[in-house]
Amino acid sequence: MSVPSSAQPPSRVAIEDPRPLIDCGRFAAKACVGDRVDVSALIFRDGAQALAAVVRYRGPAHAGWREMPMRRLPAEAGEDRWGGHFVVDEQGAWRWSIEAWTDEWGSWRDELDRKVAAGVEDLDSELAEGAALLKATAARAASTGGADRLAAAAALLEDRGAALRERTETALDPELAQICARHAARYGAAQMNPPAIVDVERERARFGSWYELFPRSFGGFAGVAGQLPTLAALGFDVLYLPPIHPIGVTRRKGRNNALVAGAADPGSPWAIGSAAGGHKAVNPELGTLEDFDRLVAAAGAHGIEIALDFAIQCSADHPWLREHPEWFNHRPDGTLKYAENPPKRYEDIYNVNFDCEDWRGLWAALHEIVEFWVDRGVRVFRVDNPHTKPFAFWKWLIEEVRVGHPDVIFLAEAFTRPAPLRELAKLGFSQSYTYFTWKNSRSELEEFVSELAHSGMELYCRPNLFVNTPDILHAYLQDGGPPAFRTRLILAATLSPTYGIYSGFEDFENVAVQPGSEEYLDSEKYEIKQRTLDGPLLPLIGRLNEIRREHAVLQRLDNVTFLPVENDALIAYAKTGAEETLIVVINLDPHAPQEGIVIIPSRLGLPPVLEVRDLLGGERFSWRLGRNFVRLDPAERAAHLLLVEPAA
Amino acid sequence: MSVPSSAQPPSRVAIEDPRPLIDCGRFAAKACVGDRVDVSALIFRDGAQALAAVVRYRGPAHAGWREMPMRRLPAEAGEDRWGGHFVVDEQGAWRWSIEAWTDEWGSWRDELDRKVAAGVEDLDSELAEGAALLKATAARAASTGGADRLAAAAALLEDRGAALRERTETALDPELAQICARHAARYGAAQMNPPAIVDVERERARFGSWYELFPRSFGGFAGVAGQLPTLAALGFDVLYLPPIHPIGVTRRKGRNNALVAGAADPGSPWAIGSAAGGHKAVNPELGTLEDFDRLVAAAGAHGIEIALDFAIQCSADHPWLREHPEWFNHRPDGTLKYAENPPKRYEDIYNVNFDCEDWRGLWAALHEIVEFWVDRGVRVFRVDNPHTKPFAFWKWLIEEVRVGHPDVIFLAEAFTRPAPLRELAKLGFSQSYTYFTWKNSRSELEEFVSELAHSGMELYCRPNLFVNTPDILHAYLQDGGPPAFRTRLILAATLSPTYGIYSGFEDFENVAVQPGSEEYLDSEKYEIKQRTLDGPLLPLIGRLNEIRREHAVLQRLDNVTFLPVENDALIAYAKTGAEETLIVVINLDPHAPQEGIVIIPSRLGLPPVLEVRDLLGGERFSWRLGRNFVRLDPAERAAHLLLVEPAA
């Protein structure tokens, strides 16, 4: 080793711990169009010189880098932490970096300031230094007009005949400092390298109300189209359909997952593929492709998006088993291997083999499927069991699709351990299912939501809080009756910007197939229901969706603060924004009235006395910082949604 | 974009959040020779297959990579976290990485195990699969002898004539699994890339007792040599000398930092350089270079290392000002600029200009200085104000010196803000001064030490807790008299593996130059003292150093647990190791006896009743889990150092 060979010495400025950065920048942070991206870093150098810094950013369509100034943040953010921001107004990958340098004029001015304050009078030498800096700055500013002012100031600083006070006042002029900052030489600048990435999606990736239904229970595509006005009036944004493809006949499952199906049993929509086609076909019992296209168009006209289920698995009758046996697992005797999780066997399902020799052909074919539906206007995909397919495949697929269609949203059904759930979110899934259905007590909910909202996870993982799914009817709902449904609905709709309901929830359906099971009795997965959209919970659902659209504080995740409550059967939290504060108090006990003290802490920055209005009941209450009494009777209402009225 | 062009699909295994990693691996973690380096990472893949992993490591003298197995850690470490370790037995940069892959045999065996447990009897197809795996493994094991056993097992698995139970027992044989693991194909292996670095130093970088003295107050080098037997008997490992170089005459400071020195005033050792020479010369008043060499040799014979002060600054008389005026700051009129921090001026000091055109010549000259003293046997440098010189310079210098002399230790006098303090530690300084002298209350001490020991900082920053310095006589010592000195000494010596004392501390010197100042009256920085090593605190110092050498728990930083105490004037902590536990209780109030309850929490893993022996007083006490009464009268003793005796 020897002295570095560069002509200029290495930069003296350090840029450390830049944020937001996911796993050292290996993954992108997430944002939505219109967001302000706040970035920060520790920026410092040796010695006492002043520094200057900018955040540099570049959107997908920008021809070059743009800049916004960074400022030293208040001490509570941490000493030497600087912050800046930029607004993302376009979907796609935005890059950002930081440049920081020694502020020569600022450093000189700071020293002069302290000498003037100390009454030092022999400043000719200092002012001559300042003049030299101004002249160099003037040379750089030559083309932009500020040069004259800089030159004049330089001349005055050097003029030993002029009054000292006039010379120092000119030197310390804040406006002159601004001109110098604009034309800074950026001497010894340091760069944050490589740049970080923010993946910007449209707003629906963060905020939306989902409804899930089996089209066959509503009369197929045409029947579903007939429900659109009702769904739109209820304020739903996304209508998610389980797989709409032809269903296998061989080893088809019967009602309640029976091993042998009756002649009239329709089979599980997740057993994809029959003689009628595979993942690019529709189940003829639902209608034709054209019927589907009409549904997508009609939904769009109602402001609703159709979300399709992307389930990579094949029934025994899927065309791929004949056309591409090389994509499946084989036993030593050459036969295909069905799916199993010993001792369970899924004889109606064949998984593809991502380790097969023609994995590239398989990836391309799966990509084709997604593009097929994208071409038919679908922009939202709910991905079935993504944690049983390779991470690298998903990363590639999502990037590939979003190159041409940056508006496509992928929801991961990541019912798996935390590490793979997080990995799928990091690699590109817009949203993820979560452990919400299993979090029912106050401590469980607070820990669960705090991790999502405040642990750093909020930078890349957007939860979609489904209150139920065709696979999950939690014991809390089985045991709690209608009050339990109201409580879970309000929790989901107010804790998370995105939440979802699976059909039947509004009817308080709560009978499990057997004690201890989370499966529905007579599950819609294996039979056709005759459903109507008129359940008793719909008015509350509609009102909640309306409130969610009206109040931006419910459209973000990271603005939640849990409030102390002196009764563990109650949960309380504030959702805060620049313009308003909403206080939510919910009774978690579906069986009995609960009362207690909710504490409004001073750190919320609210006035000492609060006029609040309940957005659900309409009542007005007078609350205050500190202790507030609440009583909630589940027979009457599950919650208060208290909007803090602006001070008169 | 299109499907990746590689023949093999990307690995399905993810390796996330490897530890220890400093700032994404940009800096090395630190260790000492003999340490076991524990590493871990989240290791997982899609699906349910079994995994296997190894940590790969490579010492500076290793010809290639070595491996140690990794295992899934217990759940309390976090789901999907795997751990492994390796021992570092040589100074220098060690590299480590992780390789993880799908355990084909383990996955197959696990499925078979579950089927056997479920009583499945039709297993021919499964066993044929297993046989195929064994044959492939046998082919890989061909040269090492295990192949025969693998082939025999394969034959049995395929033998439909043999009893099913015999076939499955063979298939599930743990020993067979071990052979398969040894010869695993490492199918679809993932690597942690790039490798991380652990910078391994000798033990003295972590553990040592330092004493600082001004040689001129002990009669120069020869006089200091005469103190070595005493210092060795007191248990000191490092003897740190402020700059030993010729002192400038021009604008020399007088007693108590007077602007004008008297004729007999010796000047500050930090005003380096005179007609007698610069940083490679010694002050003739201390002796000759040969005298210094003799001191280094004599110290070594006593097991003591001499630490020199590396202060990059020059008096007005330093030869460099004439020989290399281009290395210094100039005013517009061409004169040299002295150091200043307005309104303060340091007219006796000139700083070098690291931004000068010949910065490379300056770096090389500074490196030469260090190498000059290294060549004379010095292996420890205390670096003055490193935070006012470029970070890049220090990184380069330390690496450069340690290429040839990996045993050189650098202590940073980083009395600066946290960000630059941490940066200097990360870039290579072995140790750092800290904010210890300003942490005196229990809450201050607990927060301060917890950050050093448990925040991740322990991976790269080793504190050197000096109880005083020539610049810092804290008000606590000024006001608290001898009990305050005892308290601070015991805190430093038991909280940190490395601590230091500046001469005079043992005499309870505690008079400040003026009220509110931390400067000593008649500071040794500006005058010669006639010192002897016989202060009244020396017996306690000697006993503490003896205890520190005898008890390995005091030689580590990260093994401290603060204990609840029901009196804020008392502090208590446990230092725990594999072989013993030490409980320290200290009275922080130098003015009055304090008593209270110290709580031993169950998480320390101690038995319900503890026999403890005070290493300072020799008394034995019976303590227990939970509440224990303590009373400490500062007039008698400052602390208990309670060694938990092994259970009978």
Side-chain angles (χ1 to χ4, degrees):
Chain A
M1 208 190 315
S2 60
V3 183
S5 61
S6 60
Q8 295 298 318
S11 174
R12 300 177 78 152
V13 181
I15 302 173
E16 298 287 355
D17 193 21
R19 303 176 189 168
L21 207 64
I22 315 296
D23 288 6
C24 302
R26 285 178 42 230
F27 301 103
K30 289 188 168 75
C32 286
V33 171
D35 280 355
R36 188 180 110 155
V37 177
D38 287 305
V39 307
S40 74
L42 294 174
I43 300 178
F44 56 97
R45 58 159 284 171
D46 63 286
Q49 278 80 355
L51 297 176
V54 292
V55 52
R56 310 181 74 228
Y57 61 100
R58 185 170 183 166
H62 291 174
W65 291 87
R66 301 177 181 197
E67 290 185 353
M68 288 280 279
M70 294 184 78
R71 305 271 177 238
R72 190 184 296 274
L73 294 175
E76 56 265 28
E79 221 170 349
D80 288 314
R81 187 159 285 277
W82 290 56
H85 66 262
F86 55 97
V87 172
V88 289
D89 55 10
E90 188 197 350
Q91 297 176 117
W94 288 61
R95 265 149 247 278
W96 66 273
S97 176
I98 290 172
E99 184 167 83
W101 60 91
T102 300
D103 177 0
E104 288 185 292
W105 180 256
S107 302
W108 175 87
R109 184 175 175 270
D110 173 56
E111 279 205 15
L112 184 77
D113 197 20
R114 285 190 277 162
K115 287 177 183 176
V116 169
V120 178
E121 300 213 325
D122 171 16
L123 292 170
D124 283 340
S125 187
E126 282 80 355
L127 290 167
E129 274 190 305
L133 287 173
L134 289 175
K135 285 180 204 167
T137 308
R140 288 190 298 271
S143 56
T144 58
D148 290 350
R149 172 143 180 201
L150 291 162
L156 180 63
L157 263 59
E158 286 183 314
D159 181 1
R160 298 188 178 211
L164 180 64
R165 181 161 169 183
E166 190 187 354
R167 294 160 73 197
T168 59
E169 276 181 2
T170 295
L172 296 173
D173 179 7
E175 224 176 276
L176 187 69
Q178 277 174 20
I179 299 172
C180 288
R182 263 203 301 285
H183 301 288
R186 302 199 175 182
Y187 176 78
Q191 281 82 28
M192 169 188 149
N193 196 18
I197 297 179
V198 177
D199 186 10
V200 179
E201 296 178 86
R202 59 197 175 97
E203 192 197 21
R204 189 64 64 237
R206 180 185 61 226
F207 171 61
S209 306
W210 290 48
Y211 192 79
E212 172 179 4
L213 59 76
F214 284 66
R216 64 189 183 192
S217 294
F218 285 90
F221 299 137
V224 172
Q227 303 296 333
L228 290 169
T230 305
L231 290 166
L234 287 167
F236 285 107
D237 304 294
V238 179
L239 176 59
Y240 153 48
L241 311 180
I244 58 172
H245 315 298
I247 295 174
V249 177
T250 308
R251 289 186 288 272
R252 174 179 284 190
K253 294 290 179 74
R255 295 187 172 215
N256 287 310
N257 205 19
L259 266 182
V260 180
D265 285 346
S268 161
W270 283 274
I272 295 169
S274 77
H279 284 77
K280 292 190 208 164
V282 295
N283 185 344
E285 293 164 21
L286 300 177
T288 64
L289 256 182
E290 291 65 38
D291 293 331
F292 176 75
D293 293 344
R294 274 189 286 274
L295 172 60
V296 170
H302 281 95
I304 291 177
E305 301 192 49
I306 299 294
L308 284 193
D309 197 311
F310 186 41
I312 305 179
Q313 54 198 29
C314 299
S315 84
D317 308 313
H318 195 290
W320 279 7
L321 270 66
R322 277 178 290 106
E323 296 165 7
H324 293 286
E326 72 276 15
W327 290 348
F328 294 85
N329 294 294
H330 296 263
R331 302 198 161 274
D333 63 7
T335 59
L336 289 178
K337 261 181 92 169
Y338 48 75
E340 54 181 340
N341 181 17
K344 288 192 199 162
R345 297 179 169 196
Y346 305 101
E347 293 94 339
D348 60 337
I349 298 282
Y350 292 81
N351 285 321
V352 298
N353 176 11
F354 280 96
D355 293 328
C356 70
E357 213 166 304
D358 186 35
W359 62 274
R360 302 176 75 239
L362 175 62
W363 282 29
L366 292 166
H367 177 219
E368 261 186 46
I369 292 171
V370 176
E371 293 286 356
F372 175 86
W373 295 105
V374 167
D375 286 346
R376 303 200 92 87
V378 176
R379 289 293 181 276
V380 186
F381 294 89
R382 177 271 196 195
V383 176
D384 193 74
N385 279 336
H387 52 285
T388 59
K389 288 90 190 172
F391 300 123
F393 165 72
W394 292 122
K395 180 171 163 54
W396 169 82
L397 178 79
I398 293 170
E399 284 177 7
E400 186 87 347
V401 171
R402 292 191 59 213
V403 164
H405 303 280
D407 54 345
V408 176
I409 290 170
F410 291 89
L411 164 63
E413 191 213 19
F415 288 128
T416 176
R417 305 182 311 285
L421 182 153
R422 287 165 177 252
E423 186 83 0
L424 290 163
K426 289 174 187 172
L427 63 80
F429 277 91
S430 314
Q431 304 182 349
S432 181
Y433 283 67
T434 70
Y435 312 121
F436 174 67
T437 48
W438 299 287
K439 306 295 179 183
N440 289 280
S441 72
R442 183 167 109 203
S443 63
E444 284 171 349
L445 284 162
E446 288 188 0
E447 187 186 1
F448 165 73
V449 174
S450 295
E451 181 175 43
L452 286 170
H454 303 309
S455 72
M457 207 167 165
E458 71 277 12
L459 298 172
Y460 61 84
C461 183
R462 302 192 191 98
N464 188 334
L465 302 192
F466 264 83
V467 291
N468 65 332
T469 79
D471 301 316
I472 312 172
L473 170 67
H474 190 273
Y476 183 87
L477 296 175
Q478 297 178 34
D479 304 337
F485 284 72
R486 286 196 286 267
T487 287
R488 297 298 298 175
L489 171 69
I490 297 171
L491 283 169
T494 60
L495 279 172
S496 173
T498 295
Y499 85 111
I501 292 169
Y502 155 57
S503 173
F505 186 86
E506 69 274 16
D507 299 305
F508 306 130
E509 283 184 6
N510 71 342
V511 183
V513 68
Q514 60 194 48
S517 171
E518 295 186 342
E519 289 282 342
Y520 281 89
L521 175 68
D522 300 330
S523 168
E524 201 169 3
K525 288 189 284 188
Y526 311 106
E527 61 189 81
I528 297 177
K529 305 269 186 188
Q530 296 306 326
R531 287 202 185 273
T532 51
L533 249 178
D534 52 10
L537 197 56
L538 290 180
L540 179 59
I541 292 171
R543 177 63 185 137
L544 283 167
N545 287 343
E546 186 178 44
I547 292 169
R548 286 161 46 81
R549 285 182 179 173
E550 282 170 3
H551 297 279
V553 289
L554 293 175
Q555 296 165 20
R556 302 205 68 94
L557 173 71
D558 57 2
N559 60 348
V560 64
T561 305
F562 287 99
L563 307 178
V565 190
E566 294 177 358
N567 177 348
D568 280 347
L570 298 173
I571 190 170
Y573 40 92
K575 299 279 288 186
T576 53
E579 308 205 334
E580 62 183 18
T581 298
L582 198 64
I583 295 164
V584 184
V585 189
I586 307 180
N587 182 359
L588 299 174
D589 178 357
H591 303 293
Q594 294 286 346
E595 58 185 46
I597 300 295
V598 175
I599 293 170
I600 307 290
S602 58
R603 73 193 147 98
L604 288 182
L606 294 171
V609 176
L610 314 171
E611 298 305 320
V612 300
R613 178 165 55 91
D614 192 319
L615 297 177
L616 291 176
E619 308 96 319
R620 289 170 190 278
F621 303 98
S622 202
W623 275 40
R624 62 197 63 245
L625 288 200
R627 301 163 63 83
N628 298 274
F629 177 79
V630 170
R631 183 177 198 277
L632 288 165
D633 182 346
E636 295 163 13
R637 66 198 311 170
H640 288 304
L641 258 66
L642 303 173
L643 182 69
V644 178
E645 300 281 10
Chain B
M1 211 191 315
S2 61
V3 183
S5 59
S6 59
Q8 295 299 319
S11 174
R12 300 176 78 151
V13 181
I15 303 172
E16 298 287 355
D17 192 22
R19 303 175 189 170
L21 208 63
I22 314 298
D23 288 5
C24 302
R26 286 178 41 232
F27 301 102
K30 290 187 167 75
C32 286
V33 171
D35 280 355
R36 189 180 109 157
V37 177
D38 287 304
V39 308
S40 75
L42 295 174
I43 299 178
F44 55 98
R45 58 158 283 169
D46 63 286
Q49 278 79 356
L51 297 175
V54 293
V55 51
R56 311 181 73 229
Y57 62 99
R58 184 169 183 167
H62 292 174
W65 291 87
R66 302 176 179 196
E67 291 185 352
M68 288 280 280
M70 293 184 78
R71 305 272 177 236
R72 190 183 297 275
L73 294 176
E76 57 266 27
E79 222 170 349
D80 288 315
R81 186 159 286 276
W82 290 55
H85 66 262
F86 54 97
V87 172
V88 290
D89 54 10
E90 188 196 350
Q91 297 176 115
W94 288 63
R95 267 148 245 277
W96 66 272
S97 175
I98 290 172
E99 185 166 83
W101 59 91
T102 300
D103 177 1
E104 289 184 292
W105 180 256
S107 302
W108 175 86
R109 185 173 175 270
D110 173 56
E111 280 205 14
L112 185 77
D113 196 20
R114 286 190 277 162
K115 288 177 184 174
V116 169
V120 178
E121 300 212 327
D122 171 16
L123 292 170
D124 284 340
S125 188
E126 281 80 354
L127 290 167
E129 272 189 306
L133 286 174
L134 290 175
K135 286 180 203 165
T137 308
R140 289 191 297 273
S143 56
T144 58
D148 289 351
R149 170 143 182 202
L150 290 162
L156 180 63
L157 263 58
E158 285 183 315
D159 181 2
R160 298 188 177 212
L164 179 65
R165 180 160 170 185
E166 190 188 355
R167 293 161 74 199
T168 57
E169 276 180 1
T170 296
L172 297 173
D173 178 6
E175 225 176 277
L176 186 68
Q178 277 173 20
I179 298 172
C180 287
R182 262 203 302 284
H183 301 288
R186 301 200 175 181
Y187 176 77
Q191 280 83 26
M192 168 188 149
N193 197 18
I197 299 180
V198 176
D199 186 9
V200 178
E201 296 177 85
R202 59 198 174 100
E203 192 197 21
R204 188 65 63 239
R206 181 184 62 226
F207 170 60
S209 307
W210 290 47
Y211 191 79
E212 171 180 4
L213 59 76
F214 284 67
R216 65 189 183 192
S217 295
F218 284 89
F221 298 137
V224 171
Q227 304 296 332
L228 290 168
T230 306
L231 290 166
L234 287 167
F236 284 107
D237 304 294
V238 179
L239 176 60
Y240 153 47
L241 311 179
I244 57 171
H245 315 298
I247 296 173
V249 176
T250 307
R251 289 187 287 272
R252 174 179 284 190
K253 295 290 178 74
R255 295 188 171 213
N256 286 310
N257 204 20
L259 266 181
V260 180
D265 285 347
S268 161
W270 283 274
I272 295 168
S274 77
H279 284 76
K280 293 190 208 162
V282 296
N283 185 344
E285 292 164 22
L286 300 177
T288 64
L289 257 181
E290 291 65 36
D291 292 331
F292 176 76
D293 292 345
R294 273 189 287 273
L295 172 61
V296 171
H302 281 94
I304 292 177
E305 300 192 49
I306 299 295
L308 284 194
D309 196 313
F310 186 41
I312 305 180
Q313 54 199 27
C314 299
S315 84
D317 307 313
H318 195 289
W320 278 8
L321 268 68
R322 275 177 291 106
E323 296 165 7
H324 293 287
E326 72 277 14
W327 290 349
F328 294 86
N329 294 293
H330 296 263
R331 302 197 161 275
D333 63 7
T335 58
L336 289 177
K337 261 180 92 169
Y338 47 76
E340 54 181 341
N341 181 17
K344 288 192 201 163
R345 297 180 170 195
Y346 304 101
E347 292 96 338
D348 60 338
I349 298 278
Y350 291 81
N351 285 322
V352 298
N353 176 10
F354 279 97
D355 293 329
C356 70
E357 212 164 304
D358 185 35
W359 62 275
R360 303 177 73 240
L362 175 62
W363 283 29
L366 292 167
H367 177 220
E368 261 185 46
I369 291 171
V370 176
E371 293 286 357
F372 176 86
W373 295 106
V374 167
D375 286 345
R376 305 200 89 87
V378 175
R379 288 294 181 275
V380 186
F381 293 88
R382 178 270 194 193
V383 176
D384 194 74
N385 279 334
H387 53 284
T388 59
K389 287 92 190 172
F391 300 123
F393 165 71
W394 292 122
K395 181 171 162 54
W396 169 82
L397 179 79
I398 293 170
E399 284 177 8
E400 186 87 348
V401 171
R402 292 191 59 213
V403 164
H405 303 279
D407 55 345
V408 176
I409 290 170
F410 291 89
L411 162 63
E413 191 214 19
F415 287 128
T416 176
R417 306 182 310 285
L421 182 154
R422 287 165 177 255
E423 186 82 2
L424 291 163
K426 289 174 186 170
L427 65 80
F429 277 91
S430 315
Q431 304 182 348
S432 180
Y433 282 67
T434 71
Y435 311 122
F436 174 66
T437 48
W438 299 287
K439 306 295 180 183
N440 289 280
S441 73
R442 182 166 108 201
S443 63
E444 285 171 348
L445 283 162
E446 288 188 1
E447 186 186 1
F448 165 74
V449 173
S450 295
E451 181 176 43
L452 286 171
H454 303 310
S455 72
M457 207 168 165
E458 71 277 12
L459 298 171
Y460 61 84
C461 184
R462 302 192 191 100
N464 188 333
L465 302 192
F466 263 83
V467 291
N468 65 331
T469 78
D471 300 316
I472 312 172
L473 170 68
H474 190 272
Y476 183 86
L477 296 175
Q478 296 178 34
D479 303 338
F485 283 73
R486 284 196 286 267
T487 287
R488 298 298 297 176
L489 171 69
I490 297 171
L491 284 168
T494 60
L495 280 171
S496 173
T498 296
Y499 85 110
I501 292 169
Y502 155 57
S503 174
F505 187 85
E506 70 273 15
D507 298 304
F508 306 130
E509 282 184 6
N510 71 342
V511 184
V513 67
Q514 60 192 48
S517 170
E518 294 185 342
E519 289 283 343
Y520 281 90
L521 176 67
D522 300 331
S523 168
E524 200 170 3
K525 287 190 285 189
Y526 311 107
E527 60 190 82
I528 297 177
K529 305 269 187 189
Q530 296 306 325
R531 287 200 185 274
T532 50
L533 249 177
D534 52 9
L537 197 56
L538 289 181
L540 179 59
I541 293 171
R543 177 62 185 137
L544 284 167
N545 287 344
E546 186 178 44
I547 292 169
R548 285 161 48 81
R549 285 184 179 172
E550 281 171 4
H551 297 279
V553 289
L554 293 176
Q555 296 166 19
R556 301 204 69 94
L557 175 69
D558 56 3
N559 60 348
V560 65
T561 304
F562 287 99
L563 307 178
V565 189
E566 294 177 359
N567 177 347
D568 280 347
L570 297 174
I571 190 169
Y573 41 93
K575 298 279 287 187
T576 54
E579 309 207 333
E580 63 183 16
T581 297
L582 197 64
I583 296 165
V584 184
V585 189
I586 307 180
N587 182 359
L588 299 174
D589 178 356
H591 301 294
Q594 294 286 345
E595 57 184 46
I597 300 296
V598 175
I599 294 170
I600 306 290
S602 59
R603 72 192 147 98
L604 288 183
L606 294 172
V609 175
L610 315 171
E611 298 304 319
V612 300
R613 178 165 54 91
D614 192 320
L615 298 178
L616 291 176
E619 308 95 320
R620 289 169 190 278
F621 303 99
S622 201
W623 275 40
R624 63 196 64 245
L625 288 200
R627 302 163 63 82
N628 297 274
F629 177 80
V630 170
R631 183 176 198 277
L632 287 164
D633 182 346
E636 295 162 13
R637 68 199 307 170
H640 287 305
L641 257 68
L642 303 173
L643 182 69
V644 179
E645 301 281 9

